């Protein structure tokens, strides 16, 4: 099936810039994926491309990923956590006239192609879309409208606010349904420390 118009007008950003302190400093995206893919980052790059996105970039500059030959973006501004990475992704998308972005954390070993495609296609006019459970937006498995979100993120930044939860609240984000019966919430479990890794 050819990609839809909404898919080809979307940029995927895989966030690789964290310090991985709870993983002992090992870049989490380099961990071998449970499905046998050489690394979590390579698995997510594949999911983004299979979903029909216009392009895939890495958000955060880490030399360990240079061999993948995937473009890397530096946080903009640096040193403020995920908001700096999201702003870098949004600003890059605006430069290439891409109206939407999909943000994926590099430590999601179980997220599936169908979930990625629903993130791309569900509620196409929402400024921001993400799963919401446990009282939290899953902001690093989320879709954002480039210009609307850039403007709101810059307003928060000007007030010294760096929380992506606050950004979602300001945007009135839409929730992506994740049926508990299908176990989809479990597919968004991340690998945050060595104890999380399924051997």
């Amino acid at each position: 099936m050819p990609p839809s118009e909404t898919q080809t007008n979307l940029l995927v950003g895989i966030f690789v810039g964290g310090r991985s302190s709870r993983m002992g400093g090992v870049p989490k995206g380099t961990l071998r994926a449970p499905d046998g893919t050489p690394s979590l980052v390579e698995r997510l790059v594949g999911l983004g491309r299979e979903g029909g996105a216009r392009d895939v970039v890495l958000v955060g500059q880490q030399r360990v990923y240079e061999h993948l030959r995937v473009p890397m973006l530096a946080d903009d501004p640096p040193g403020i956590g995920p908001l700096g990475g999201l702003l870098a992704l949004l600003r890059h998308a605006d430069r290439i006239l891409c109206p939407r972005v999909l943000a994926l954390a590099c430590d999601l070993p179980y997220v599936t192609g169908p979930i990625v495609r629903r993130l791309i296609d569900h509620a196409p006019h929402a400024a921001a879309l993400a799963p919401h459970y446990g009282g939290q937006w899953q902001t690093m498995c989320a879709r954002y409208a480039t210009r609307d979100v850039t403007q709101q993120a810059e307003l928060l930044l000007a007030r010294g606010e760096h929380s992506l939860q606050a950004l979602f609240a300001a945007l009135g984000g839409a929730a992506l349904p994740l049926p508990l019966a299908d176990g989809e919430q479990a597919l968004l479990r991340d690998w945050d420390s060595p104890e999380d890794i399924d051997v």
Side-chain angles (χ1 to χ4, degrees), residues 4 8 16 43 62 67 76 82 93 96 101 104 106 112 124 126 130 140 148 164 167 175 179 181 187 198:
S4 69
T8 55
V16 299
R43 180 176 184 273
Q62 300 236 24
H67 69 284
D76 182 19
I96 65 172
V101 302
L104 295 173
C106 71
T112 63
M140 285 289 99
D148 291 346
L164 293 187
L167 176 62
L187 297 177
D198 293 327

Side-chain angles (χ1 to χ4, degrees), residues 32-45:
R32 182 173 290 275
D35 65 1
T37 308
S39 71
L40 297 184
V41 161
E42 287 170 88
R43 180 176 184 273
L44 292 168
V45 168

